[in-house]
Amino acid sequence: MALSDLYPIPDVDPVWSVPQGFEAAFDWRFDEGRAHMMHLYQKGKDMQWDALERIDWALELDSDNPMGVPDEMIGLYHTPFWAKMSEKERAAARRHVQAWTISQFMQGEQAAMICAAKIVQQVPDLDAKFYAATQVMDEARHVEAYKKFLEKLGLAYPMTKPLQTLVDQALRDQRWDMTYLAMQVVIEGLALAAFGNIREIARNKLTQQLNAFVMQDESR
């Protein structure tokens, strides 16, 4: 099943292409590399995990509040609209808000994966390529995990326009360090804060597991 089949928004383009204009750099020195970079590379290898095996996907999601998040976290909560909603409508609102949130996590992780792959090609030093390659694998695993969560939830959303604009700017810039800055500091920095927030407030066991393992990678 394609996750886009779960989008409640019709006619979403299934493919988005960003033009690239940069040179791929080969490092033919094959030297020992800088100690701190090789340490990060080794740490990345040692801390790999399998999203299908490590997370207990048999854990259930509550249909009325899948992630077990307090209603106060919903933007409509303190409005007259929320007061007028039936319990069925509130359950639907929770489900859509939570699906939207996890969807943006997943969309951002794919963006980070593509940014990291670009850095692997552009960065001049082999040790940095090694480290960036572990990030590609990390982000791929996160996309896989969030995709599986959304399939279990039965609802997903496409990337928002503001996030798409940010990713577009990060990828179009020909300088690898600017792509890295946008990915690591802006996109991943915002994501890490959001992951931490979910970790603190979500009461669903599957949600807690998923975010704990993703945060383990992001905080390396």
Side-chain angles (χ1 to χ4, degrees):
M1 178 184 65
L3 200 63
S4 57
D5 294 339
L6 301 179
Y7 291 168
I9 302 170
D11 303 322
V12 176
D13 194 334
V15 177
W16 175 42
S17 299
V18 180
Q20 301 284 278
F22 62 85
E23 295 180 352
F26 285 77
D27 184 353
W28 285 347
R29 291 168 295 179
F30 296 100
D31 57 17
E32 294 299 318
R34 291 160 290 184
H36 67 283
M37 292 301 297
M38 296 307 292
H39 172 72
L40 288 172
Y41 171 57
Q42 185 62 47
K43 193 174 181 181
K45 291 191 295 179
D46 292 341
M47 297 182 69
Q48 294 294 314
W49 51 277
D50 188 330
L52 296 181
E53 299 295 332
R54 185 69 65 86
I55 296 172
D56 184 1
W57 294 106
L59 292 169
E60 295 296 330
L61 297 176
D62 184 344
S63 58
D64 289 343
N65 189 352
M67 293 165 56
V69 173
D71 288 343
E72 289 82 353
M73 301 304 297
I74 299 175
L76 288 173
Y77 180 72
H78 291 291
T79 70
F81 298 104
W82 184 263
K84 295 177 181 178
M85 293 169 71
S86 66
E87 283 304 317
K88 183 178 180 180
E89 290 171 332
R90 289 178 180 179
R94 293 185 198 103
R95 188 164 168 266
H96 277 268
V97 168
Q98 293 172 25
W100 181 90
T101 300
I102 297 298
S103 294
Q104 299 318 305
F105 288 172
M106 181 193 67
Q107 302 286 357
E109 295 296 334
Q110 181 178 198
M113 178 182 69
I114 293 172
C115 285
K118 176 175 181 277
I119 292 168
V120 171
Q121 296 179 72
Q122 282 191 279
V123 71
D125 300 310
L126 191 61
D127 54 2
K129 291 180 184 293
F130 282 179
Y131 172 58
T134 65
Q135 287 193 294
V136 174
M137 185 61 198
D138 286 347
E139 310 305 350
R141 182 169 55 250
H142 301 165
V143 174
E144 177 189 18
Y146 283 127
K147 175 180 180 291
K148 191 166 182 63
F149 184 91
L150 289 166
E151 287 173 343
K152 194 175 180 74
L153 182 57
L155 184 65
Y157 277 84
M159 182 183 285
T160 64
K161 291 300 180 183
L163 179 56
Q164 190 170 356
T165 298
L166 178 59
V167 172
D168 183 79
Q169 292 172 348
L171 286 172
R172 284 178 186 269
D173 199 301
Q174 296 183 19
R175 298 164 294 180
W176 68 264
D177 53 344
M178 292 304 295
T179 300
Y180 180 83
L181 180 67
M183 178 191 75
Q184 198 69 21
V185 178
V186 181
I187 299 175
E188 293 287 334
L190 291 172
L192 191 58
F195 296 154
N197 189 41
I198 294 295
R199 180 190 60 186
E200 294 299 322
I201 63 174
R203 295 294 173 260
N204 174 263
K205 296 294 185 183
L206 178 57
T207 305
Q208 291 174 342
Q209 273 193 25
L210 174 57
N211 276 282
F213 285 120
V214 170
M215 287 189 70
Q216 171 186 293
D217 289 343
E218 300 291 3
S219 61
R220 261 204 315 268

